[in-house]
Amino acid sequence: MMELQNLIGGEMTNPKSGAWLENVEPATGQVFSRIPRSNAADVDAAVQAAHAAFPGWSSSPLEERAACLRRWGALIARHSEALIAAESQDNGKPVSLARAVDIPRAQKNLEFFAGAVEHFASEAHIPGGAEFIHYTHRKPIGVVGCISPWNLPLYLFTWKIAPALAAGNCVVAKPSEVTPLTAWMLSQWAAEAGFPAGVFNVVHGLGHEAGQALVEHQGVKAVSFTGGTQTGAHIARTTAGMFKKLSLELGGKNPAIVFADCNFDKAVATTIRSSFANQGQICLCSSRILIEDSIYETFRDALVAKAKRIVPGDPSDASTKMGALVSAPHRDKVLKYIGIAKEQGARILCGGVAAPAPNDRCTSGYFVQPTILEGLGPDSSINQEEIFGPVITLQRFSSEADGIALANDSAYGLAATIWTTDAAKAHRVASQVESGIAWINCWLVRDLRTPFGGVKSSGVGREGGVEALRFFTEPQSVCIPTR
Ligand code: NAD
């Protein structure tokens, strides 16, 4: 059985408590590795190691930090086949998705922030007469905590640690206990990439134990968190009064607003992808499909016909497009929501049940059919709560204002997609939709320089490009007279 370890002060270490957690392969339901069940003592050791490394790392030349990140990126590329297989085994996602998205993007995150920090500039303000010069000195914060979820494990892990390290901070990272494998692999190559001991540390374990200890630690000056809204609220409460910098990337209940004048085929094909990619377990997935009255039936029927052709398969099979849900509790949560939808009077247009095992290897795996529901009002819990699985609902709207109101009738505000060929309407709707991201006639197209994050219960703060580098630095205003 594979045994994962923490990386603390440059050493791969066992948990101080001697306790371990089992790690399950979602496609088979079988335990295939174990991970440290770290506690506050492990976190404290990691924070101390990071503090010891901070003076050296924070004063190292930018080029040296960038070079470490680039070498790490090259190591991801060199080990990409192993990482693709590991991500699929650990998460249940198809290898085709890990190959196309997760692993290349993890490499790109490291390379992107290596370049971004070299181009990162701060402001100077020179009033008329130039009697004084004010400039902004952006300093690394110190030791920062990076906590990531299970849905895009290495992709979101690197999205946080790369800007933190590039900006000169030392990091204690806690990957999801549900998908720890690729973060562990990456941690094994930190020294080879050139990071001095203690600059980058990984502590594995449960959220309410290792995660909580990291968030509470007085030596951790900033916390960058991606995960569920309830956990984010708990972290905000925990850190209130501790004056830490906090970045929260949380859940979503994303609308796709489909107007009658859309490019029909493109809207159907992309909505299938935006609904069911990664088994619907992407925070940016569409989950409420809002369709203009006059095309409601034709759009619905086209969507359902395509969804019925998606057959969940063994994630390790190269031809599989939909894999397994991440865990038994998560599969059960998704099926419970489908049960509630039925009780609330939803019509199940396709799916609605667990999917049969694709082969003998996967008889105990966590497969769910892509599910499309209609007939529920906007206030129904199914239309309000995040399900985070392959389940979408259809609702109709009669006017532009009605569509926007329906889209905004949510506690969340992460990502919206808008489908129309009327350019003016597209911009008008985008400006009125309450979301951190609006995709017009496309989905999941990313430029890493753009601000990324949500409004309302979807989060506080922005990641990406200079936003991330600003988060991971503390600005000091310096003023000096010129005479
Ligand atoms: P989660 O909140 O259960 O866990 C996320 C991470 O937080 C894990 O590493 C977990 O161990 C840790 N954690 C849990 N309790 C903690 C505590 N008390 N203190 C510190 N850390 C703690 O979320 P999840 O189930 O892993 O991920 C799914 C959620 O993440 C969904 O809601 C999804 O929408 C959201 N998500 C958001 C984004 C985004 O960018 N907005 C991206 C991906 C996923």
Side-chain angles (χ1 to χ4, degrees):
M1 167 120 23
M2 206 188 311
E3 204 162 77
L4 279 53
Q5 288 177 303
N6 294 328
L7 173 66
I8 298 177
E11 302 288 330
M12 300 305 289
T13 59
N14 289 338
K16 290 189 188 300
S17 65
W20 298 82
L21 298 164
E22 291 184 333
N23 188 25
V24 173
E25 177 175 2
T28 63
Q30 305 303 315
V31 175
F32 74 101
S33 60
R34 58 180 208 160
I35 71 166
R37 183 173 176 170
S38 309
N39 60 22
D42 301 286
V43 169
D44 186 53
V47 173
Q48 286 192 33
H51 269 284
F54 181 69
W57 182 246
S58 57
S59 57
S60 63
L62 275 186
E63 295 73 16
E64 199 172 306
R65 289 184 229 151
C68 289
L69 287 168
R70 289 199 176 96
R71 281 192 294 266
W72 227 9
L75 283 159
I76 290 185
R78 192 193 306 161
H79 295 283
S80 68
E81 286 306 317
L83 286 165
I84 289 163
E87 204 70 301
S88 171
Q89 182 179 27
D90 209 14
N91 173 277
K93 69 177 65 211
V95 281
S96 58
L97 187 69
R99 183 182 304 284
V101 177
D102 294 74
I103 303 309
R105 174 58 193 276
Q107 180 191 348
K108 174 95 181 151
N109 286 341
L110 300 180
E111 288 168 358
F112 171 79
F113 280 108
V117 77
E118 288 175 330
H119 296 270
F120 188 44
S122 58
E123 312 82 26
H125 299 88
I126 307 172
E131 287 178 23
F132 293 89
I133 296 174
H134 305 256
Y135 63 88
T136 307
H137 181 188
R138 291 194 170 270
K139 303 176 187 183
I141 302 172
V143 176
V144 300
C146 295
I147 302 176
S148 49
W150 49 256
N151 63 325
L152 299 164
L154 193 64
Y155 173 135
L156 289 173
F157 186 76
T158 48
W159 182 234
K160 292 188 180 304
I161 61 172
L165 292 165
N169 302 286
C170 292
V171 169
V172 179
K174 198 208 84 65
S176 170
E177 63 273 30
V178 185
T179 53
L181 193 51
T182 48
W184 169 70
M185 292 167 78
L186 189 69
S187 72
Q188 289 183 304
W189 309 321
E192 191 178 345
F195 292 101
V199 168
F200 172 69
N201 306 273
V202 182
V203 180
H204 293 278
L206 297 171
H208 67 276
E209 295 176 355
Q212 182 78 21
L214 182 58
V215 165
E216 281 175 350
H217 201 293
Q218 288 289 356
V220 174
K221 298 296 173 209
V223 176
S224 175
F225 169 81
T226 299
T229 293
Q230 282 188 359
T231 315
H234 175 79
I235 290 174
R237 282 192 296 272
T238 303
T239 54
M242 296 179 83
F243 309 111
K244 294 180 191 241
K245 272 187 122 174
L246 206 53
S247 166
L248 300 173
E249 300 291 339
L250 310 176
K253 190 74 184 174
N254 305 310
I257 313 170
V258 185
F259 288 97
D261 60 4
C262 67
N263 176 333
F264 189 91
D265 292 343
K266 194 174 170 204
V268 170
T270 309
T271 302
I272 284 288
R273 210 162 53 81
S274 72
S275 303
F276 300 122
N278 205 35
Q279 299 72 246
Q281 302 167 134
I282 302 179
C283 55
L284 307 163
C285 273
S286 312
S287 52
R288 294 180 296 138
I289 316 302
L290 316 178
I291 308 163
E292 193 163 8
D293 259 337
S294 61
I295 61 159
Y296 182 86
E297 281 78 14
T298 45
F299 194 87
R300 173 195 66 191
D301 294 349
L303 213 54
V304 170
K306 270 198 187 304
K308 280 184 174 165
R309 289 208 288 273
I310 304 173
V311 181
D314 186 336
S316 67
D317 181 335
S319 64
T320 293
K321 295 278 181 294
M322 180 180 267
L325 268 62
V326 76
S327 67
H330 190 61
R331 185 260 328 263
D332 295 346
K333 176 188 148 186
V334 170
L335 291 175
K336 189 170 161 210
Y337 268 114
I338 296 172
I340 295 169
K342 284 185 201 163
E343 283 164 22
Q344 292 180 351
R347 278 182 297 285
I348 297 181
L349 303 175
C350 63
V353 287
N359 57 27
D360 288 349
R361 189 182 95 86
C362 297
T363 45
S364 302
Y366 316 132
F367 299 91
V368 174
Q369 301 277 18
T371 298
I372 303 184
L373 307 167
E374 73 169 357
L376 295 172
D379 296 338
S380 124
S381 57
I382 305 302
N383 274 322
Q384 289 294 333
E385 294 173 21
E386 185 184 48
I387 299 174
F388 213 55
V391 180
I392 59 170
T393 63
L394 311 185
Q395 296 175 77
R396 55 170 82 224
F397 65 88
S398 54
S399 67
E400 189 179 314
D402 187 24
I404 293 167
L406 209 47
N408 290 341
D409 186 3
S410 170
Y412 295 102
L414 189 53
T417 49
I418 299 160
W419 292 96
T420 174
T421 49
D422 177 338
K425 180 160 75 181
H427 291 294
R428 212 164 47 232
V429 173
S431 75
Q432 291 175 76
V433 167
E434 294 162 359
S435 67
I437 300 152
W439 275 296
I440 298 168
N441 299 327
C442 60
W443 177 70
L444 207 63
V445 179
R446 295 279 296 118
D447 180 320
L448 303 190
R449 294 168 299 180
T450 58
F452 179 91
V455 300
K456 305 200 279 188
S457 299
S458 291
V460 180
R462 292 290 179 275
E463 297 186 325
V466 287
E467 301 282 347
L469 293 172
R470 286 194 176 134
F471 174 76
F472 283 116
T473 50
E474 195 69 82
Q476 180 188 37
S477 265
V478 183
C479 176
I480 182 169
T482 55
R483 333 198 150 107

Coordinates of all heavy atoms in Angstrom, one line a residue, residues 21-72:
L21 N -4.9 8.1 7.6 CA -6.2 8.1 7.0 C -6.1 7.2 5.8 O -5.1 7.2 5.1 CB -6.6 9.5 6.6 CG -6.7 10.6 7.7 CD1 -6.8 12.0 7.0 CD2 -8.0 10.3 8.5
E22 N -7.2 6.5 5.5 CA -7.3 5.7 4.3 C -7.7 6.6 3.1 O -8.5 7.5 3.2 CB -8.3 4.6 4.5 CG -7.8 3.6 5.5 CD -8.8 2.4 5.6 OE1 -10.0 2.6 5.3 OE2 -8.3 1.3 6.0
N23 N -7.1 6.3 2.0 CA -7.4 7.0 0.7 C -8.0 6.1 -0.3 O -7.4 5.0 -0.6 CB -6.2 7.7 0.2 CG -6.5 8.6 -1.0 OD1 -7.6 9.2 -1.1 ND2 -5.5 8.9 -1.8
V24 N -9.2 6.4 -0.7 CA -10.0 5.5 -1.6 C -10.0 5.9 -3.0 O -10.1 7.1 -3.3 CB -11.5 5.5 -1.0 CG1 -12.4 4.6 -1.9 CG2 -11.5 4.9 0.4
E25 N -10.0 4.9 -3.9 CA -10.1 5.1 -5.4 C -11.6 5.2 -5.7 O -12.3 4.2 -5.6 CB -9.4 4.0 -6.2 CG -9.6 4.2 -7.7 CD -8.8 3.2 -8.5 OE1 -8.1 2.3 -7.9 OE2 -8.8 3.3 -9.7
P26 N -12.1 6.3 -6.2 CA -13.6 6.4 -6.4 C -14.1 5.5 -7.4 O -15.3 5.1 -7.3 CB -13.7 7.9 -6.8 CG -12.5 8.6 -6.4 CD -11.4 7.6 -6.4
A27 N -13.3 5.1 -8.4 CA -13.8 4.2 -9.4 C -14.1 2.8 -8.9 O -14.9 2.0 -9.5 CB -12.9 4.2 -10.6
T28 N -13.3 2.4 -7.9 CA -13.4 1.0 -7.4 C -13.9 0.9 -6.0 O -14.3 -0.2 -5.5 CB -12.0 0.4 -7.4 OG1 -11.2 1.1 -6.5 CG2 -11.4 0.4 -8.8
G29 N -13.9 2.0 -5.3 CA -14.4 2.0 -3.9 C -13.3 1.3 -3.0 O -13.6 1.1 -1.8
Q30 N -12.1 1.1 -3.5 CA -11.1 0.4 -2.7 C -10.0 1.3 -2.2 O -9.6 2.3 -2.9 CB -10.4 -0.7 -3.6 CG -11.3 -1.7 -4.3 CD -12.2 -2.4 -3.3 OE1 -11.7 -2.9 -2.2 NE2 -13.5 -2.5 -3.6
V31 N -9.6 1.1 -0.9 CA -8.5 1.8 -0.4 C -7.2 1.5 -1.1 O -6.9 0.3 -1.4 CB -8.3 1.5 1.1 CG1 -7.0 2.2 1.7 CG2 -9.5 1.8 1.9
F32 N -6.5 2.5 -1.6 CA -5.2 2.2 -2.3 C -4.0 2.9 -1.7 O -2.9 2.7 -2.1 CB -5.4 2.6 -3.8 CG -5.4 4.1 -4.1 CD1 -4.2 4.7 -4.6 CD2 -6.5 4.9 -3.9 CE1 -4.2 6.1 -4.8 CE2 -6.5 6.2 -4.1 CZ -5.3 6.8 -4.6
S33 N -4.2 3.8 -0.8 CA -3.1 4.5 -0.1 C -3.5 5.0 1.2 O -4.7 5.0 1.6 CB -2.5 5.6 -1.0 OG -3.5 6.6 -1.2
R34 N -2.5 5.4 2.0 CA -2.9 6.0 3.3 C -2.1 7.3 3.5 O -1.0 7.4 2.9 CB -2.8 5.1 4.5 CG -1.4 4.5 4.7 CD -1.5 3.6 6.0 NE -0.2 3.5 6.6 CZ 0.0 3.2 7.8 NH1 -1.0 2.9 8.6 NH2 1.2 3.1 8.3
I35 N -2.7 8.3 4.2 CA -2.1 9.6 4.3 C -2.0 10.0 5.7 O -2.8 9.5 6.6 CB -2.8 10.6 3.5 CG1 -4.2 11.0 4.1 CG2 -3.1 10.2 2.1 CD1 -4.8 12.2 3.6
P36 N -1.0 10.9 6.1 CA -0.9 11.3 7.5 C -2.2 12.0 8.0 O -2.7 12.8 7.3 CB 0.3 12.3 7.4 CG 1.0 12.0 6.2 CD 0.0 11.5 5.2
R37 N -2.6 11.6 9.2 CA -3.6 12.3 9.8 C -3.0 13.3 10.8 O -2.8 13.1 12.0 CB -4.5 11.3 10.6 CG -5.7 12.1 11.3 CD -6.6 11.1 11.9 NE -7.7 11.8 12.6 CZ -8.8 11.3 13.1 NH1 -9.0 10.0 13.0 NH2 -9.7 12.0 13.7
S38 N -2.5 14.4 10.1 CA -1.7 15.4 10.9 C -2.5 16.2 11.8 O -3.7 16.3 11.7 CB -1.0 16.3 9.9 OG -0.4 15.6 8.8
N39 N -1.8 16.7 12.9 CA -2.6 17.5 13.9 C -1.8 18.8 14.1 O -0.9 19.2 13.3 CB -2.7 16.7 15.2 CG -1.4 16.3 15.7 OD1 -0.3 16.9 15.4 ND2 -1.4 15.3 16.6
A40 N -2.2 19.5 15.1 CA -1.6 20.8 15.4 C -0.1 20.8 15.5 O 0.6 21.8 15.2 CB -2.3 21.5 16.6
A41 N 0.4 19.7 16.0 CA 1.9 19.6 16.3 C 2.6 19.6 14.9 O 3.7 20.2 14.7 CB 2.2 18.3 17.1
D42 N 2.1 18.8 13.9 CA 2.7 18.8 12.6 C 2.6 20.2 11.9 O 3.6 20.6 11.3 CB 1.9 17.8 11.7 CG 2.0 16.4 12.3 OD1 3.0 15.7 12.2 OD2 0.9 15.9 12.8
V43 N 1.4 20.8 12.1 CA 1.3 22.1 11.5 C 2.2 23.1 12.1 O 2.9 23.9 11.4 CB -0.2 22.6 11.7 CG1 -0.4 24.1 11.3 CG2 -1.2 21.8 10.8
D44 N 2.4 23.0 13.4 CA 3.3 23.9 14.1 C 4.8 23.7 13.6 O 5.5 24.7 13.4 CB 3.2 23.7 15.6 CG 4.1 24.8 16.4 OD1 3.9 26.0 16.1 OD2 4.9 24.4 17.2
A45 N 5.1 22.5 13.4 CA 6.5 22.2 12.9 C 6.7 22.8 11.5 O 7.7 23.4 11.2 CB 6.7 20.7 12.9
A46 N 5.6 22.7 10.7 CA 5.7 23.2 9.4 C 5.8 24.7 9.4 O 6.6 25.3 8.6 CB 4.5 22.7 8.5
V47 N 5.0 25.4 10.3 CA 5.0 26.8 10.3 C 6.4 27.3 10.8 O 7.0 28.3 10.3 CB 3.9 27.4 11.2 CG1 4.0 28.9 11.4 CG2 2.5 27.0 10.6
Q48 N 7.0 26.6 11.8 CA 8.3 27.0 12.3 C 9.4 26.8 11.2 O 10.2 27.7 11.0 CB 8.6 26.1 13.5 CG 7.9 26.6 14.7 CD 8.4 25.9 16.0 OE1 9.6 25.7 16.1 NE2 7.5 25.6 16.9
A49 N 9.3 25.8 10.4 CA 10.2 25.6 9.4 C 10.1 26.7 8.3 O 11.1 27.2 7.8 CB 10.0 24.2 8.7
A50 N 8.9 27.0 8.1 CA 8.6 28.1 7.1 C 9.1 29.4 7.6 O 9.7 30.2 6.8 CB 7.1 28.2 6.8
H51 N 9.0 29.7 8.9 CA 9.5 31.0 9.4 C 11.0 31.0 9.3 O 11.6 32.0 9.0 CB 9.1 31.1 10.9 CG 7.8 31.8 11.1 ND1 7.6 33.2 10.9 CD2 6.5 31.4 11.3 CE1 6.4 33.5 11.1 NE2 5.7 32.4 11.2
A52 N 11.6 29.9 9.6 CA 13.1 29.8 9.5 C 13.6 30.1 8.1 O 14.7 30.7 7.9 CB 13.6 28.5 10.0
A53 N 12.8 29.7 7.1 CA 13.2 29.8 5.7 C 12.9 31.2 5.2 O 13.4 31.6 4.1 CB 12.5 28.8 4.9
F54 N 12.0 31.9 5.8 CA 11.5 33.2 5.3 C 12.5 34.3 5.0 O 12.5 34.8 3.9 CB 10.3 33.7 6.1 CG 9.7 35.0 5.6 CD1 9.0 34.9 4.4 CD2 9.9 36.2 6.2 CE1 8.4 36.1 3.9 CE2 9.4 37.4 5.7 CZ 8.6 37.3 4.5
P55 N 13.4 34.6 5.9 CA 14.4 35.7 5.6 C 15.2 35.4 4.3 O 15.3 36.3 3.5 CB 15.3 35.7 6.9 CG 14.5 35.0 8.0 CD 13.6 34.0 7.3
G56 N 15.6 34.2 4.1 CA 16.4 33.9 2.9 C 15.6 34.0 1.7 O 15.9 34.6 0.7
W57 N 14.4 33.3 1.7 CA 13.5 33.2 0.5 C 13.0 34.6 0.1 O 13.0 35.0 -1.1 CB 12.4 32.3 0.7 CG 11.5 32.0 -0.4 CD1 10.2 32.4 -0.6 CD2 11.9 31.4 -1.7 NE1 9.7 32.0 -1.8 CE2 10.7 31.4 -2.5 CE3 13.0 30.9 -2.2 CZ2 10.7 30.9 -3.8 CZ3 13.0 30.3 -3.5 CH2 11.8 30.4 -4.3
S58 N 12.6 35.4 1.1 CA 11.9 36.7 0.8 C 12.9 37.7 0.3 O 12.6 38.6 -0.4 CB 11.2 37.2 2.0 OG 12.2 37.4 3.1
S59 N 14.2 37.5 0.6 CA 15.2 38.4 0.0 C 16.0 37.8 -1.2 O 16.9 38.5 -1.7 CB 16.2 38.8 1.2 OG 16.8 37.6 1.7
S60 N 15.5 36.7 -1.6 CA 16.2 36.1 -2.8 C 15.8 36.8 -4.1 O 14.7 37.4 -4.1 CB 15.9 34.6 -2.9 OG 14.5 34.5 -3.1
P61 N 16.7 36.9 -5.1 CA 16.4 37.6 -6.3 C 15.1 37.0 -7.0 O 14.9 35.8 -6.9 CB 17.6 37.3 -7.2 CG 18.7 36.9 -6.3 CD 18.0 36.2 -5.1
L62 N 14.3 37.9 -7.6 CA 13.1 37.4 -8.3 C 13.4 36.3 -9.3 O 12.6 35.4 -9.4 CB 12.6 38.6 -9.1 CG 11.7 39.6 -8.5 CD1 11.1 40.6 -9.5 CD2 10.5 38.9 -7.8
E63 N 14.5 36.5 -10.0 CA 14.9 35.5 -11.0 C 15.1 34.1 -10.4 O 14.7 33.1 -11.1 CB 16.2 35.9 -11.8 CG 16.1 37.2 -12.5 CD 16.0 38.5 -11.7 OE1 16.4 38.4 -10.5 OE2 15.6 39.5 -12.2
E64 N 15.6 34.1 -9.2 CA 15.8 32.8 -8.6 C 14.5 32.1 -8.2 O 14.3 30.9 -8.4 CB 16.7 33.0 -7.3 CG 17.4 31.8 -6.8 CD 18.3 32.2 -5.7 OE1 19.2 33.1 -5.9 OE2 18.2 31.6 -4.6
R65 N 13.6 32.9 -7.7 CA 12.3 32.3 -7.3 C 11.5 31.8 -8.6 O 11.0 30.8 -8.6 CB 11.4 33.4 -6.6 CG 11.9 33.7 -5.3 CD 10.9 34.7 -4.7 NE 11.5 35.8 -4.1 CZ 11.0 37.1 -4.0 NH1 9.8 37.3 -4.5 NH2 11.7 38.0 -3.4
A66 N 11.6 32.7 -9.6 CA 11.0 32.3 -10.9 C 11.6 31.1 -11.5 O 10.9 30.2 -12.0 CB 11.0 33.5 -11.9
A67 N 12.9 30.9 -11.3 CA 13.6 29.8 -11.9 C 13.1 28.5 -11.2 O 12.9 27.4 -11.8 CB 15.1 29.9 -11.8
C68 N 13.0 28.6 -9.9 CA 12.5 27.4 -9.1 C 11.1 27.0 -9.6 O 10.8 25.8 -9.8 CB 12.4 27.7 -7.6 SG 14.0 27.9 -6.8
L69 N 10.2 28.0 -9.8 CA 8.9 27.6 -10.3 C 8.9 27.0 -11.7 O 8.2 26.1 -12.0 CB 8.0 28.9 -10.3 CG 7.6 29.4 -8.9 CD1 6.9 30.8 -9.0 CD2 6.5 28.4 -8.3
R70 N 9.8 27.6 -12.5 CA 9.9 27.0 -13.9 C 10.4 25.6 -13.9 O 10.0 24.7 -14.6 CB 10.7 27.9 -14.8 CG 10.1 29.3 -15.1 CD 10.7 30.0 -16.3 NE 10.0 31.2 -16.6 CZ 10.3 32.4 -16.2 NH1 11.4 32.6 -15.4 NH2 9.5 33.4 -16.5
R71 N 11.4 25.4 -13.0 CA 12.0 24.0 -12.9 C 10.9 23.0 -12.4 O 10.8 21.9 -12.9 CB 13.2 24.0 -12.0 CG 14.5 24.5 -12.7 CD 15.7 24.1 -11.9 NE 15.7 24.9 -10.7 CZ 16.4 26.0 -10.5 NH1 17.0 26.6 -11.5 NH2 16.3 26.6 -9.3
W72 N 10.1 23.5 -11.5 CA 9.0 22.7 -10.9 C 8.0 22.3 -12.1 O 7.5 21.2 -12.2 CB 8.3 23.4 -9.8 CG 8.1 22.6 -8.6 CD1 8.5 21.4 -8.2 CD2 7.3 23.1 -7.4 NE1 8.1 21.0 -7.0 CE2 7.3 22.0 -6.5 CE3 6.6 24.2 -7.2 CZ2 6.7 22.2 -5.3 CZ3 5.9 24.3 -6.0 CH2 6.0 23.3 -5.0

